[in-house]
Structure formats: structure tokens, C-alpha cells
Amino acid sequence: MSINFPAAEQAVLQRWNEIDAFQRQLQLSKGRKRYTFYDGPPFATGLPHYGHLLASTIKDVIPRYWCMKGYYVERRFGWDTHGLPIEHEIDKKLGISGREAVEKLGLAGYNQECRSIVMRLATEWRQTIERLGRWIDFDNDYKTMNPSFMESVWWVCKELFEKGQIYRDYKVMPYSTALGTPLSNFEAQENKKDLQEPAIVVAFPLISDPKTNLLIWTTTPWTLPSNIAVASHPDFEYVKIHDHASDRNYIFLESLAKNVYKDLKSAKYTVLEKIKGRDLEGLKYKPPFNYFYEDNKDLWFQVIKATYVTSDAGVGLVHTSPAFGQDDFVAASDAGLISAQRFPPNPVDDKGCYTSEIPDFQGQKVQSANKALISLLKESGLLVLNGQINHTISFCPRSDTPLINKAVSAWFVRVADIAPQMLENLDKTHWVPAFVKEKRFGNWIANARDWNISRNRFWGTPIPIWASDDFEELVCIGSVAELKERSGYTGELEDLHRDKVDGITIPSQRGKGVLHRIDEVFDCWFESGSMPYASQHYPFDKETKGHFEDSFPADFVAEGLDQTRGWFYTLTILGTHLFGTVPFKNCVVNGIVLADNGKKMSKRLKNYPDPSLVMQSFGADALRLYLITSPVVRAETLRFKESGLKEVVSKVLLPFWNSYNFFEAQAALLKKVEDVRFVFDPDMDIVNRGIMDRWILASCQSLLRLVDQEMAAYRLYTVVPALLNMIDKMTNWYIRFNRKRLKGDLGLESSIQGLNTLFEVLFFLCRTLAPFMPFLTDHIYQLLAQYLPKSLLAKDSRSIHFYAYPEVREELVDEVVERKIKRMQTIVELVRVSRERRTIGLKTPLRTLTVIHPDQVYCDDLRSLEAYICEELNVYNLELSIHETDYNVVYALHADWSTLGKKLRKDAMKIKNALPHVPTPQVKDFLRDKEIKIEGITLQEEDLIVRREIKSDETKQLEVNTDNDVLTILDVASDPDLLMDGVAREIVNRVQQLRKKAGYTPIDDLKVQYSVLDDPDNIGLQKVFASRASLLETSLKSPLEQYSKPKEETVAGVEEKGVVEEQQEVQKATFLLKLLHV
């Protein structure tokens, strides 16, 4: 029975919808212990991409697993509906920008526009996520724009405010001129690009000696009009030189002279003196532009000390413009040049244009003024060097425009003060992979700065702080009820956006008139960081309050690597402030999915396949498995390739399906031949079953132990390969080694035992794989369910996902049998390689296989499986020995010369010549001691490779292989009698292929006829048909007879009712094969 996986998945989806499967699973698990999962909210303004699908797969697999393990796992989808992404879309749609345009439209109208697009792609999101097979509640979702969510965000704010953890300050922040708002420091790290920027050296003449100039280097000429100081490192030694070309004196750091002169070798200057940085402090100078000079020359425009000045870039003196650089701001504050009463010059508006304070450039974008400013510097003779440099620049993650640093008034949450506590809390959490916690996230927290939570925007949760005009009286509101009580407002408040609350005032308690709400809204990261509380309307909803408190912190969260500076970070800050803990116990971090060429996936470039079309072509199970078996689950990158999906289909899904198909065919054959309807017997005596039965069932128990252990540790990258390996064990070992038995060739009882075992493994795999590949497991389960006794059916047996996850059955654990089969598998794999080396297929019988191992138990294990080994490897004799010397085994040393050659250099040839002559006893000593001295040179374990080889004149007919533990010697000499058996095997293979091609099933009764056409190499094809007739008929389960082909009959394939005829070839010999339906 063939299968179309995507079509089968659609049928499963339809059935899930009909029975409301997800809600039914929740109903069945109601009342159990809660397992809590927080889902980070995405924006719905763009379609889901592979990063979302990867995270969604992880966030589906783990909750499904814990639900099947006996927990109640609520799963609610969430939407990030506020913030700059939404506003940016509206600004583009309406062709507006800036505060004035919004105020002209009106806050209510602007917010309504934002609301109208927030959920425009929600339907597409739901369709894609549900097609992926993710079970999550879209109907009971949460949205950050919901009044209940916003009220809880207010509660979070008030809790922090009352603890003194929220404050207002004037600080230099990353600033988006496109959006007119400051961003947080971590947002500024999201989008970086390399750009070529000006790099100029400018002379600042000293007031006391106009011929002597301080030299500064800058890549932001637009900040020069706002200069108020020059910073020097107090411990650096500077030079004062006389430049012969300009006849001027310059002061700079001599080690950086290469940045002063384009051609340092031809530069002509004389060193006049050396000056310590601290001795430069207080020197007054004339700034290059006079916009702020006259009013401030008494205090500003002097050298100040600053230890942030470096000696590896620039010229050692730093131009200081405090409104546009955090280091500058701190240094100027420390020097007493600026204060809360004396602000630095900040002549740039919210659009990034010069204000009237710079009249020559008023209204011009600051970056676009660089060229004109450089020209003015050149005209005034102050430009010493005009160059360019490649710089890494932060871009706005929303508008993709360059950010500037700009001093603004903003509201901050204290983070630096609690960083030690955050790190302490972090130690109590479990992260996969661990290095993300220990390195990336831990380092980020250790260097954390206070968090700017305010945005000068409109569509967001209003910061609930009401202030007097002088900001000396502040009131933070924590609920709608409190706002009504404090303000006296009596109207309805079913919406908490700016247009609804900004007009509400609160009477002053200090005689300052009325308090107005501050202009800013929350950074949307504050909202998503409040998600654990706000999604439950905590602490206002009495019904969910208890559930929240009982299940906080969450058991599990998962997102991409970029969220270490986003959601994970804000969750940690707010959780530590509110409850003294990180709000989650376990965190799975995935890497980034890139396009096939290693570049970022881009809708504009169309460099990745549409996810919907991929699922339509390969199915969601294939996509899920491809993603969670890739490096991304270890927080590495993945280059998305459709070839990877094809491999999953061919190596995982098809083998699993074919295993079921094989079982189904044999169950039908059992009914037809023996009139026995198969029913699974869970109590069948394991002791009397065959060793392969005991092995595969014991392997299932070992797998379960591993899955339980690794899923508790959230290591999907160890769990999934182990689960998929179980499919390989079932198909390529259990079924392959038991085909005759399963087909009934070894008797009815043995056949039923084998089918019982195969069914048990299939049913086991359907349950263990259900969280990972939910579609195919449920599809196969629906077909297997007819064979289950009623006692094994789940309370609701309509889906595999309503069953409990399997538990380890101790009575099936058998480490000895697993050890034996593992050793057999090793031998089989080594000998398969030996055959490949000699290009001798498995259908060619060989006389003898010798296996050598020093442990007698190892040999005894193999002896107990001799029949399996000989049949699988098509050898007639198996010799086992613990004595290597009986077979002339020698130990030889080899080396990887590409590595060792570089290490030894001139001695390499000496060692290369000596290695073949090192005797076996000395090599064995090396294995024990881990080092050896050859030609006076000591070599270590990592330098050499030990190989066991045969020292014999007969090596031409012996093929040796080893895994450095066991040694196999395969006699590849040709044997005419055995070759005829090999031809017989190939004849059987051709018949089976024709049966399959013609669509016959194992229960179809057929007669096989043949007619030899040609045997050019005289392989004895006719003789094989005659002498091996009994063997052929037993293998084929069909009578075999020769027939003569009439001369006029064609040799092409013939098909008529009940008859299939086709020409076949075996080793160049040809024959006609005819199948007749009896």
C-alpha cells in the first residue's frame, strides 16, 4: 500500500478538527498536575517563516510529551500587538512621519489605524501553525492590546515604581530618527551593518598658543558643532611636534602618528616635547564651530581626563560631545562641565535634523551634513586629514535606518543594581545548550545597563505615571480601579490606550494643580516581559490567580538565540524585580535558519521556499523532523535545503510506513493461509520468544530510559536521533532478520510470536514518536487499532495523542541480549564494508568468515547468533577465535602525515621510514603506555594510528576489517557451487521485484514460469533453475515450471488479465519470467 504523506496528513487534520482533538486532550488531562509553558508573542504583521516554524515545533514537541506523561499542559497562543513595528507600517501606509503628523490626524484616529492592521495576518498564522501540527489554543489567546493584559502591565509597573526601581533620567540612548524615539540598548544590537564613514583628523588651536593644536579624530563630523571638551587619558604620554609642512605644532599620541599622516615614512616633523595626559588637563582651546562658544567659553572647551580613551585607534585625544555619546556624557559630568542644571548642547530634533541652534544647517539631516561640515573645516584650515573607514553601525531594527546616539529624557528600570541577583537566579535555571546561559546570556547580564522602558510613540500601553509640570510629584497607577479612585473619573474604561487615558488628570496632593499622564508608552519588550502575569490578568483575575501562583516559575520556555537580548532578558529582569526569581526553570534556545546559500532569509530576495508549499510537497512531519534533527536545536545555524526534507522522507517516514505495510501484509497472509485473525497479546510469554524478539523489546526499554532522562534535561538533539534509530532497528534488523519467520516459513506459532513482537514495536513507536511526528503516528495508529484488545484501548481511543506515554517494562529489560545483538551488528557492518571493498554483493555466497577477539564471552555471544550472521552475510562457515597469533595477525603503526608531518618537519621522513619496521610487541606496548620512542623521537597517542593486519601470502583472498576492538577476516575466494546459490538468490529477487511491480500482495496465489533466453558467460542459469528448484519454490511459495517461448512471441513486457511477463537479466544471462494468477 503506497502513501502520499501530505494527503494523509490532511486527512488526519480533518479528523482532529472533527473530534476537536486538542481540546479533547486537555479535557482528558484536566485535574492532573500542571506543567506550565510560556509562549513568547510574535507580531502578526508578517507571515511565519522557518524561524517561527522551528520554534513552534520545539514548543509543540515538549508540551505534547509532558501531556502524554500525565500532566495538564495549557497552551495559549499570544500576539505582540503594540509598538514600533505596527506604527512603522501605519506611517508607511499613510505617508506620514513625526509627532506633528500624528497629532494632526489625532491620537484616536492613529490608534484606530494601528488596531485595524494588528491581526490582519492572524488567519494565515493560524493556518500555517495548525498545518505544522502544533496544538495550541488560538481561540483563548492573549493579545498585548487587550485591556486585561494592559492593566496587568500597569500592575507590574507600579510594583517596580513603589520599590524605587523606575526612575526618570537624561541619558544618551540609541535613537531612531526614522521613528522619533529612543530604543533600548539590546534593541540597538539587533541590526548591525558595515558602512564606509568619514574618518577625519581636526586641529583645535590652544587659546594660550594658537600655533599649537590639539588633534582629534572622529567618524561623526556632524557632532563637532556640539563639542564642549577634548578628553585625554591621564596615564598616556603624548607628544608635541612641529609639523614642517604646515608650520604648526600638534599634540597627539605618537604611537598613532599613522592616523595623522597618510604617508608616515615621508612625513617631516620634529618632536618638541613629551607630555603626560594629566598635564594636558585644563588646557583651553578654540572649538572648530562657534555656535555655543561665546556663552560657554568660561567653563567648556578645555581638556578633561577620561580613562576610556584608548591607544589602538584615533589619535589619542577624543572630541567630546556629551549629548551624542555615553562615554562623553559621563566624562563631561565627572569634570563638572554638565549637570542637571546645565545640559550639554543638543541641537538635533526628533527627526535627526539640526535645530535653529545650528542656523547654517537648520532642518538638514545630521548625517547628510557631514560633507558640508568637512568642507568648512578645510576652508578654515582646521582639517588635518580627510579619510574614510569601514565601521560597524547599528541600524533601527524596524525602519532599517542608521541609529544615532542622542541624549533624551527617558524612564528607566534599574538593572545594573540587580545584575548579581539575576546571575544568581540564572544559576538555578537549566538551559539547552548550556553555553548560551554560561557565555552569551550570562555575559550580557554581567554587563547589563539600566533599561530604557519608554518610547516617544503612540500605539502602546501608556506608562501609568501621572506627573506635575515640574516632575516633582509623581503618581504611579496600578489598576483601572485605582485610576478611577485617584482621578474621580466615572466613565467606562474598557480601553487603556493613550487616546482614552491621556485626558484623565489626577488632583495634586502637594498643591501643584493637576497631574497629567506623561507622554511616553512602554517599550513593547516591557509588555512581552510581563507576559507571565499579564496573559493571566494577574493579580486581578481570581480564577487564574491561584493557578499562576501554584505554577510559577514556568517549567519551560523556548525561543531563538536572538532572544537572549530580548524576551529572555526582559523576563529575567521583571521576574527578579517582582518575585526574586527567573520566571522559568528550563529554557531551550534554537539557532538561526538561513537560506541555502548561508545568507539571511529574505522575502525580497525570495531565497527560500514557501513553508506552505514545502509542507504541501513533503508534509509537516518531514519538516518537523528535518528541523529538530538539525544543528539549530544546539543553537547553531542551519542552511535550509529541500534535499534534507527528501532525506527525512526516504530514511525515516517511508521505512516506518513500510514496516507497518509489511506487518499488515503478513497479518493478511496469516488470515488467508491459517485462517487466524491476528490480535495483539500483551501478555505473551517473553521467555519463550526468539532472541531477536527479546532484543527489539529490550531495545525499546533502553530507548525509553534514554528518552525519559534526556527529555527531563530538554536535550532534543540526543532524543530525536535515538528515536529515529529505533525505526532503523525495527526495519533493517528486526524485520530483515525475521522475514521468513514473519511470513510463516518457520511455523504458525513462531509466526504469531514474531507478528506480536512487530505489532508491539509499531504500537510502541506510534506512542513514543507521537510528540515528534504527530501525523504519521496517528495515521498508522488508526490502522493498527483494529488489532488491539479492548483492555489496551485508551479512555478515548480516537487518537494516539490521547494515550499515555509508554513506561519502562522491567520484565523486558535484557542487557545481555542487547549486548549480544550489538556485537553481531558490529560484525555484520564490518563485513558489509569488506564486501563493498571487493565489490562482492551480498547475493554472492562466500565460504568462511573468521572473527578474532581476545574475550571468550564476545566469541560466545557471536556463536549463539551464528545462524543469523551466516544468513545475513551469506557465508557458510563462521570461525571464532581469541588467538590472534593463529591467524598471523600483526600490529602496525600508521600516521596522518598531513598533521604529523607539520609537527615533525625535518624528522618526518625518518619516522615514515621507521614505522613499517616497528614489531608487534612494541606496538602493543604503545597501546598500553600511550607513547613510544622511535628513532629517538617520542610520539604520543594522538600522533599515531594502530591497525591490525594479516601477515600472510594468502592476503589476496582475505579481506580484513576492524573497529580497533574486533577483527574480521573474510575469505573472498570464488567457489563455483556457492556461486550457483548466489544466482538462485538473484532469481528470487527478480521474481519478488516483478510481483511488486505488478501490484501483487503476499496473499495472491501465483504460478511462476521461466524460459532461459541466453547465457553468454555460461553462469549455468538453466542448471540453477533445475538443481535449485526446491530452494526456489520454498523461497517463492509458488510452483515453478519451465515453458518454451514461441518464436513469434516478443520479449518485451506483456500484461494481460492474470498474467505478467517480463524479460529479466542476471549477470548478463537473460530469461523470460511469467507470473500467472491462480
Side-chain angles (χ1 to χ4, degrees), residues 5-58:
F5 290 115
E9 290 182 356
Q10 290 288 1
V12 171
L13 271 176
Q14 184 177 342
R15 189 173 65 255
W16 287 350
N17 289 332
E18 288 169 357
I19 65 174
D20 200 3
F22 172 46
Q23 290 302 322
R24 180 57 178 155
Q25 187 194 56
L26 291 176
Q27 291 168 9
L28 291 168
S29 57
K30 202 85 172 176
R32 297 176 185 169
K33 184 177 179 182
R34 283 178 174 262
Y35 177 92
T36 310
F37 154 64
Y38 293 153
D39 190 19
F43 287 103
T45 51
L47 291 170
H49 52 66
Y50 288 103
H52 293 120
L53 300 187
L54 165 63
S56 278
T57 299
I58 294 169

Side-chain angles (χ1 to χ4, degrees), residues 28-251:
L28 291 168
S29 57
K30 202 85 172 176
R32 297 176 185 169
K33 184 177 179 182
R34 283 178 174 262
Y35 177 92
T36 310
F37 154 64
Y38 293 153
D39 190 19
F43 287 103
T45 51
L47 291 170
H49 52 66
Y50 288 103
H52 293 120
L53 300 187
L54 165 63
S56 278
T57 299
I58 294 169
K59 290 187 280 190
D60 185 55
V61 165
I62 291 172
R64 277 181 181 273
Y65 170 80
W66 288 106
C67 189
M68 291 182 74
K69 289 292 286 184
Y71 290 82
Y72 177 77
V73 189
E74 183 181 71
R75 284 152 274 178
R76 293 172 63 207
F77 204 80
W79 301 101
D80 206 338
T81 56
H82 281 151
L84 299 176
I86 313 295
E87 291 196 25
H88 187 52
E89 290 288 320
I90 292 302
D91 289 354
K92 286 194 298 182
K93 173 186 172 184
L94 301 179
I96 64 174
S97 67
R99 179 176 297 273
E100 297 85 0
V102 175
E103 289 173 349
K104 184 177 179 181
L105 177 65
L107 260 179
Y110 187 80
N111 279 355
Q112 184 54 42
E113 287 284 350
C114 291
R115 188 189 302 275
S116 70
I117 72 160
V118 162
M119 302 302 292
R120 67 182 178 186
L121 296 176
T123 300
E124 288 84 348
W125 267 85
R126 181 167 187 162
Q127 288 171 347
T128 302
I129 297 302
E130 289 182 349
R131 179 63 188 88
L132 184 68
R134 183 180 179 190
W135 280 4
I136 191 160
D137 196 339
F138 280 96
D139 297 321
N140 185 31
D141 58 5
Y142 71 86
K143 301 178 183 72
T144 58
M145 68 180 182
N146 287 348
S148 59
F149 193 101
M150 296 169 74
E151 185 177 30
S152 291
V153 173
W154 279 13
W155 171 81
V156 171
C157 180
K158 180 165 185 176
E159 289 291 304
L160 270 60
F161 185 86
E162 292 192 339
K163 293 179 180 181
Q165 301 302 318
I166 291 180
Y167 65 95
R168 181 175 181 262
D169 202 356
Y170 186 72
K171 285 187 180 183
V172 177
M173 298 298 299
Y175 192 91
S176 171
T177 58
L179 303 177
T181 186
L183 305 179
S184 60
N185 288 306
F186 56 85
E187 281 180 301
Q189 305 297 317
E190 290 181 21
N191 185 14
K192 294 203 167 190
K193 299 180 183 181
D194 290 332
L195 284 186
Q196 197 169 65
E197 291 212 302
I200 62 173
V201 177
V202 183
F204 286 20
L206 294 178
I207 298 295
S208 59
D209 178 11
K211 190 176 179 179
T212 299
N213 300 264
L214 302 166
L215 294 190
I216 66 93
W217 176 88
T218 182
T219 60
T220 55
W222 64 267
T223 62
L224 286 170
S226 309
N227 170 272
I228 70 165
V230 169
S232 69
H233 196 295
D235 300 329
F236 287 176
E237 188 171 71
Y238 295 84
V239 291
K240 177 181 177 182
I241 67 151
H242 178 70
D243 178 66
H244 297 179
S246 64
D247 194 30
R248 288 193 288 183
N249 301 332
Y250 297 144
I251 297 173

Side-chain angles (χ1 to χ4, degrees), residues 836-874:
E836 287 172 11
R837 287 176 184 164
R838 295 292 185 115
T839 62
I840 301 174
L842 275 171
K843 291 185 177 65
T844 302
L846 296 175
R847 181 63 64 189
T848 303
L849 167 64
T850 302
V851 178
I852 304 170
H853 193 281
D855 182 2
Q856 184 61 52
V857 174
Y858 195 113
C859 293
D860 292 344
D861 285 350
L862 296 179
R863 182 62 70 192
S864 68
L865 296 163
E866 180 176 2
Y868 286 110
I869 294 171
C870 289
E871 181 175 1
E872 172 59 24
L873 295 174
N874 203 3

Side-chain angles (χ1 to χ4, degrees), residues 56 193 315 368 405 618 1034:
S56 278
K193 299 180 183 181
V315 294
S368 65
N405 288 315
F618 300 99
T1034 301

Side-chain angles (χ1 to χ4, degrees), residues 258-277:
K258 64 181 184 295
N259 294 333
V260 176
Y261 295 101
K262 283 186 177 179
D263 185 2
L264 187 57
K265 289 183 180 179
S266 62
K268 294 182 179 180
Y269 65 85
T270 304
V271 176
L272 301 178
E273 63 176 308
K274 296 190 176 182
I275 313 167
K276 276 286 186 183

Side-chain angles (χ1 to χ4, degrees), residues 714-725:
Y714 294 85
R715 288 188 285 263
L716 292 180
Y717 53 82
T718 57
V719 172
V720 182
L723 285 166
L724 302 187
N725 185 49

